[in-house]
Amino acid sequence: YEDDRPLTLVAGCEVQMLPLRQDIPSDWARGHLVGQPEVHGYFPKTYVGSKRHLFAAEQARDAVQKVKKLQPVSDDVFALYNFDPTKMDWPFPDLSPLAFSAGDELKLLPDEADAPSDWAFGQRASEPEATGYFPRSYVGSREEMSEAQSGELSARSVSSVAVALYDFDPSGVDWPFEEDKPLILTAGSEIQMLPVSADTPSDWAKGHVIGQPEICGFFPRAYVGSKRHHDVVVQARESASKVKGTSRPQSHSEVADSQRIEVFALYEFDPTKIEWPFADQPPLALSEGEAIRMWLDASDEAGDWAFGQQVAEPHAEGYFPKAYVGSKEELLEAQSMEAAAVESASRPSSAASSDSVMVALYDF
């Protein structure tokens, strides 16, 4: 616009919508910052919306950050802790796990089985033929590995308090100590680490349950660790329990019609307005009001992302934030809220009211 100026928007700021001249294109809007009528100008209409729309946009941005935290900046990662799949109920009967030891260098590989996002597929750098799946939370950068190892050393040292990572039942163990008794461990219990004699094997430790010094004995050193290590083990167990019972993660082409539902796009979703977090998965752009066939993923019911296709064009499929879709009733409610602000903005400026206040969804 030669004679008009733009209005710089910061996501979350409130904008008082103002009337437009008839020659202004329909995809542009005019307004001023609430409380600052002198700061006014034009901006793309799709950059503002209702507070509910802003909430959906913020949820999508938060979901992006969650995924990015799970994805290392490099394909080369390091094992933060020992990963022994025999210590969990392995959830993928048709997929092999990859066991590793803390400090091992690993290389992430493309996941062709479409496993849940908190699982990764990779190989040991020193043994490329050894490939398999493992929890993403068990690997990280070299710096994170050093930090984790420091935490483990501290937790397992004498006079420190460690946390039991797994249950330990000595009844099934060939007990190596003639005069010393074992300590039964329950995952999550806190253990006071105690000194051991010089002839004790290095893979065994001694301690007592916190608050119960009379209950003391020996146990495998690898069965205890830091609080952070314990949290990672719990996270992996919970993830495994979500997908337990599936023969393998299903590809989208194998999902039955009964596992798909029809939803509607509550708002426009333009994946170019966010930093797309999935290098190997395509996004599905949404237009407000269009019908979407969404896959029901039992292994990720609480996830922030969904996979679906346009009902009108089934070949158009990809991922999108779950917060952007809903039922027909939710669509009508969202459209009503958006329309109320737009309609009030078209009134003469003397009639402008708080109804015509919208919220910036993105920086402009």
Side-chain angles (χ1 to χ4, degrees):
Y1 304 109
E2 294 182 2
D3 301 325
D4 298 297
R5 61 185 179 184
L7 175 64
T8 300
L9 300 178
V10 176
C13 68
E14 293 188 328
V15 179
Q16 176 73 52
M17 304 293 285
L18 299 174
L20 291 172
R21 299 195 312 267
Q22 291 185 347
D23 62 331
I24 299 298
S26 61
D27 53 349
W28 285 84
R30 178 170 169 257
H32 69 72
L33 300 182
V34 169
Q36 296 177 270
E38 71 282 1
V39 184
H40 61 87
Y42 287 82
F43 48 88
K45 185 174 291 186
T46 57
Y47 275 61
V48 298
S50 64
K51 286 187 176 180
R52 178 177 173 179
H53 191 167
L54 172 65
F55 180 66
E58 289 177 336
Q59 279 189 306
R61 284 193 280 266
D62 290 344
V64 168
Q65 294 307 310
K66 285 182 184 178
V67 173
K68 289 179 68 178
K69 286 180 180 178
L70 286 174
Q71 295 175 336
V73 295
S74 169
D75 288 340
D76 297 316
V77 294
F78 295 86
L80 306 182
Y81 311 104
N82 296 339
F83 174 57
D84 180 356
T86 66
K87 288 190 170 68
M88 67 186 314
D89 194 5
W90 185 246
F92 308 119
D94 297 340
L95 300 177
S96 300
L98 178 65
F100 47 73
S101 300
D104 284 353
E105 184 175 357
L106 307 171
K107 185 175 183 62
L108 298 181
L109 300 174
D111 175 18
E112 297 179 355
D114 197 23
S117 60
D118 43 0
W119 293 84
F121 180 70
Q123 63 186 181
R124 285 198 289 268
S126 62
E127 195 179 354
E129 66 276 12
T131 63
Y133 285 82
F134 50 88
R136 284 185 183 271
S137 54
Y138 272 69
V139 299
S141 66
R142 186 184 293 275
E143 292 72 22
E144 290 173 314
M145 177 192 68
S146 298
E147 181 182 346
Q149 289 181 334
S150 176
E152 293 299 281
L153 285 173
S154 175
R156 292 171 177 168
S157 62
V158 175
S159 299
S160 292
V161 175
V163 183
L165 308 175
Y166 319 102
D167 294 341
F168 172 58
D169 180 1
S171 61
V173 176
D174 186 10
W175 191 242
F177 306 105
E178 293 183 3
E179 300 178 358
D180 296 301
K181 60 184 181 181
L183 176 66
I184 296 174
L185 298 179
T186 301
S189 60
E190 294 188 326
I191 306 298
Q192 177 71 57
M193 303 295 285
L194 299 174
V196 295
S197 61
D199 61 343
T200 300
S202 60
D203 52 349
W204 287 86
K206 183 183 179 186
H208 69 71
V209 178
I210 290 292
Q212 298 176 278
E214 70 282 2
I215 304 178
C216 65
F218 285 80
F219 49 86
R221 186 179 294 273
Y223 275 59
V224 299
S226 64
K227 176 65 165 62
R228 177 182 172 184
H229 190 170
H230 172 260
D231 291 344
V232 166
V233 171
V234 170
Q235 183 181 345
R237 282 204 201 99
E238 291 176 346
S239 178
S241 67
K242 284 183 181 179
V243 295
K244 181 61 181 170
T246 59
S247 59
R248 63 180 177 83
Q250 289 180 297
S251 65
H252 295 119
S253 62
E254 297 173 320
V255 176
D257 288 340
S258 61
Q259 294 176 272
R260 309 173 193 179
I261 60 172
E262 186 169 291
V263 294
F264 297 86
L266 306 181
Y267 314 105
E268 174 185 302
F269 171 58
D270 180 356
T272 66
K273 288 192 173 74
I274 64 174
E275 188 177 353
W276 187 245
F278 305 112
D280 300 326
Q281 305 291 356
L284 178 65
L286 306 176
S287 296
E288 180 188 322
E290 72 177 333
I292 302 295
R293 188 172 291 111
M294 184 174 76
W295 273 242
L296 293 176
D297 186 356
S299 68
D300 191 24
E301 293 179 353
D304 303 302
W305 299 87
F307 181 85
Q309 63 185 183
Q310 295 176 4
V311 171
E313 297 184 57
H315 65 276
E317 60 182 28
Y319 286 82
F320 51 88
K322 284 185 180 178
Y324 273 64
V325 298
S327 65
K328 187 71 171 180
E329 292 72 22
E330 290 174 311
L331 169 64
L332 295 175
E333 181 182 351
Q335 288 178 327
S336 175
M337 294 175 68
E338 299 282 308
V342 173
E343 179 184 353
S344 61
S346 64
R347 302 171 189 158
S349 56
S350 60
S353 69
S354 59
D355 291 337
S356 59
V357 173
M358 300 186 83
V359 186
L361 307 174
Y362 318 101
D363 295 341
F364 171 60

